[in-house]
Amino acid sequence: MAAAGTGSNPDMEIENDNKPINHPKKNEFDLGADFIAFEDSDDEDEPINHPKKNGGKRRRPVDEDEDPDEGPMTGPPPGCPWMGHRNYSKMASVPIMLTQELWDFVDYISPTKEEHQIREYVVRLVRKTVKDLWSNADVVVFGSFDTMLYLPTSDLDIVLLRDGGFNKLDLNRLASHLRRSGIANEVTVISKAKVPLVKFKESITGIPVDISFNLTNGIDSGQVISTYINEIPALRPLTMLVKYFLMIKNHNEVYKGGIGSYTTVIMILSFLQMHPQIQVGNIDPMDNLGVLLIEFFELYGLCFNYTRVGLTVRDNGSYFEKKDMPTNHRSGRSGQAQKLLLSCIDPNDPTNDTAKGSYSLQKIREVFAGAYGALTQAVQNRDRELFMDDKRVSSSHVQFDDRNRVAADSKQKSSGLHRSTQVSLIKEVYQVPMHIIRHRQKIAKVFLDGTYQVMFGDPIVHSLDLKTV
């Protein structure tokens, strides 16, 4: 059964060999259309520079082909700090440029070693504080910290475990203790949610922390995600990209109707499992990050039949009709059974629909569709600017596009403009606000100042090791 589809755009995939991709013809199914992959590209000699699996020195790459006579690079457009070190316009095709820029973005937003070390210190501080209140409680970190899929401002997920459990009074007791200890600001108790939480920001770094009680499913979920990431390396960068997108659109909090991290991973994993070109080995997902992200947004923004179809990643993945689901899977929030809802089966627990609380799916679908349109338009525009024959250009008037800072629709474009001006293909979808940049600067300063090292008696490190985790 097929439930989703992707449209076709030219010259968007890089094959593993020189054989042309035999794209499947569009077949209509009862519940939608299957994937329609983009056409292949003949430009296979341009390597994609993506980070190694557990890091590698994060430093500004040097373009070995850079010619000093072509003029200096002018730096990244506003909001694009991942740029400024690479001449994308010299790459063989726009799809390669897109994939490389996405890899540079993923590298930029991935945690550095000092950021991870600071979070480890926050965990130690929280553990010590909780133990002062309940000496018999175990303090376990899980979620994105455990799987290394956290963003610069992601919550730190912690669960407290003890025999006999906790009650609602314990939530308020912990909140009061955190305030008195001085380690927490903006402490909030969420007692009426399906998963009661104590939320706060750690006082030194401002890192947000979520504490839950006696629930082990989050720990189990992290172990499953780690296994899938080891099996499918492209799952990590795509997860970072989609998580960041949901975060900047304010659709990443489940208690607000958004899509949580676990469901995000399952959606991406299902997309990769069901992708026909990946299934038959025609493309390497690591070298086609750009087209895969576009197809992901197209699938879940335009093509997926949420009303009748659910997904599971068990047994290599499949779609199923919602009428085959137990009633509790389809219930959602009170009075919202008829609204658009995603059904996403937990690979750890077939009775659990991880997306049943994501009641803002209609809005999420709309922003996915918008991202698909923006990325597709950016790729098409850039391809025309760089590779279209001058004879096909109807106007000789130079027009500047303020969004990507490049002359558009111009017969008189100079090669110097293309080489010296940074052009972002993803700027309309991804930007890094100043509050995120300042937060990372604050974390780096806390690390250099040795605040936690002094607190815990560890050696102070005076230089940053910019390797990613």
Side-chain angles (χ1 to χ4, degrees):
M1 180 192 314
T6 57
S8 61
N9 286 299
D11 303 323
M12 290 297 287
E13 285 179 354
I14 304 169
E15 293 184 63
N16 289 337
D17 52 35
N18 293 321
K19 296 178 181 179
I21 294 177
N22 296 319
H23 296 285
K25 294 181 180 179
K26 187 172 183 179
N27 296 319
E28 296 299 329
F29 292 80
D30 292 337
L31 299 176
D34 201 356
F35 290 93
I36 303 299
F38 292 159
E39 294 179 7
D40 63 295
S41 169
D42 294 329
D43 301 314
E44 300 180 89
D45 55 348
E46 187 78 26
I48 301 296
N49 185 354
H50 44 71
K52 294 180 180 178
K53 188 177 176 179
N54 292 321
K57 199 73 172 176
R58 177 184 290 174
R59 54 177 66 150
R60 294 163 65 93
V62 177
D63 190 340
E64 296 179 355
D65 297 325
E66 186 171 341
D67 186 345
D69 294 333
E70 292 176 348
M73 310 264 284
T74 61
C80 306
W82 62 91
M83 301 183 70
H85 59 262
R86 195 187 305 282
N87 197 337
Y88 299 98
S89 65
K90 296 186 69 175
M91 295 178 179
S93 70
V94 175
I96 292 175
M97 297 176 200
L98 176 62
T99 289
Q100 184 60 71
E101 186 180 350
L102 287 170
W103 271 114
D104 290 342
F105 179 80
V106 170
D107 183 49
Y108 177 81
I109 63 172
S110 294
T112 59
K113 279 194 171 181
E114 69 271 17
E115 289 173 338
H116 194 70
Q117 181 64 60
I118 287 296
R119 285 181 176 246
E120 288 183 340
Y121 278 129
V122 172
V123 173
R124 290 171 65 179
L125 185 59
V126 172
R127 180 176 289 116
K128 179 180 181 302
T129 305
V130 170
K131 289 283 191 179
D132 288 342
L133 179 63
W134 297 308
S135 59
N136 62 337
D138 290 330
V139 181
V140 182
V141 63
F142 68 99
S144 58
F145 178 88
D146 199 34
T147 58
M148 303 300 180
L149 290 174
Y150 62 88
L151 303 172
T153 57
S154 287
D155 295 341
L156 187 57
D157 295 309
I158 293 174
V159 60
L160 306 187
L161 305 173
R162 72 172 180 179
D163 294 337
F166 298 88
N167 55 47
K168 288 188 176 181
L169 291 177
D170 288 329
L171 272 71
N172 292 307
R173 189 174 294 117
L174 176 62
S176 298
H177 181 65
L178 291 169
R179 293 188 189 98
R180 288 195 303 270
S181 69
I183 75 162
N185 296 326
E186 301 178 31
V187 182
T188 303
V189 175
I190 302 178
S191 59
K192 295 183 179 180
K194 179 182 177 182
V195 178
L197 295 172
V198 173
K199 299 173 69 72
F200 64 92
K201 290 185 178 180
E202 195 269 337
S203 59
I204 297 175
T205 62
I207 291 174
V209 181
D210 286 359
I211 297 182
S212 56
F213 300 82
N214 262 42
L215 292 175
T216 60
N217 57 349
I219 300 172
D220 298 334
S221 300
Q223 294 171 349
V224 169
I225 291 173
S226 296
T227 300
Y228 280 125
I229 288 176
N230 289 331
E231 295 174 354
I232 308 174
L235 181 59
R236 183 187 186 276
L238 282 171
T239 299
M240 296 293 285
L241 289 166
V242 177
K243 280 188 63 173
Y244 187 90
F245 178 78
L246 289 169
M247 180 198 72
I248 60 177
K249 296 296 184 181
N250 295 315
H251 289 308
N252 63 323
E253 296 281 5
V254 177
Y255 73 95
K256 296 180 180 179
I259 297 177
S261 296
Y262 191 38
T263 299
T264 300
V265 173
I266 294 174
M267 292 172 68
I268 297 168
L269 178 58
S270 171
F271 163 74
L272 293 172
Q273 289 174 329
M274 302 299 287
H275 196 294
Q277 297 297 332
I278 296 176
Q279 285 179 338
V280 299
N282 276 350
I283 64 170
D284 181 351
M286 299 288 277
D287 289 337
N288 285 276
L289 200 60
V291 64
L292 290 176
L293 181 65
I294 289 175
E295 289 182 330
F296 173 89
F297 284 136
E298 183 183 20
L299 169 62
Y300 291 112
L302 296 172
C303 302
F304 197 87
N305 193 331
Y306 293 95
T307 303
R308 298 178 60 189
V309 178
L311 61 87
T312 177
V313 297
R314 293 167 65 89
D315 302 321
N316 297 317
S318 64
Y319 297 128
F320 58 86
E321 289 193 70
K322 282 189 174 181
K323 67 180 183 180
D324 298 330
M325 293 178 61
T327 303
N328 65 317
H329 279 282
R330 293 178 273 120
S331 58
R333 286 166 61 100
S334 176
Q336 297 191 2
Q338 302 303 315
K339 287 192 175 183
L340 195 67
L341 288 174
L342 173 66
S343 294
C344 201
I345 302 304
D346 186 343
N348 265 336
D349 179 6
T351 67
N352 179 37
D353 180 356
T354 68
K356 62 176 176 285
S358 300
Y359 57 86
S360 295
L361 189 61
Q362 182 61 52
K363 294 179 180 179
I364 296 169
R365 186 181 188 184
E366 290 171 1
V367 296
F368 279 169
Y372 163 75
L375 289 175
T376 302
Q377 189 66 48
V379 168
Q380 292 172 345
N381 290 344
R382 191 61 173 151
D383 187 71
R384 284 194 295 266
E385 292 161 3
L386 292 180
F387 300 109
M388 187 168 62
D389 189 338
D390 285 347
K391 293 180 180 179
R392 297 170 56 192
V393 181
S394 59
S395 172
S396 62
H397 180 65
V398 178
Q399 296 179 338
F400 287 90
D401 186 335
D402 291 335
R403 293 174 300 173
N404 59 19
R405 297 168 58 192
V406 67
D409 189 28
S410 170
K411 187 176 180 180
Q412 300 177 357
K413 294 193 293 277
S414 70
S415 60
L417 176 67
H418 282 216
R419 296 187 180 101
S420 63
T421 304
Q422 286 292 320
V423 177
S424 173
L425 291 171
I426 68 174
K427 183 183 177 184
E428 295 303 311
V429 177
Y430 292 101
Q431 290 196 27
V432 180
M434 278 306 302
H435 76 269
I436 292 180
I437 295 174
R438 293 192 187 100
H439 176 76
R440 301 190 85 175
Q441 291 171 342
K442 180 179 181 179
I443 298 298
K445 184 177 185 302
V446 170
F447 184 86
L448 284 173
D449 289 346
T451 303
Y452 289 107
Q453 291 92 326
V454 171
M455 185 183 302
F456 289 100
D458 293 344
I460 297 177
V461 178
H462 292 288
S463 61
L464 292 177
D465 181 359
L466 292 179
K467 290 182 180 179
T468 54
V469 174

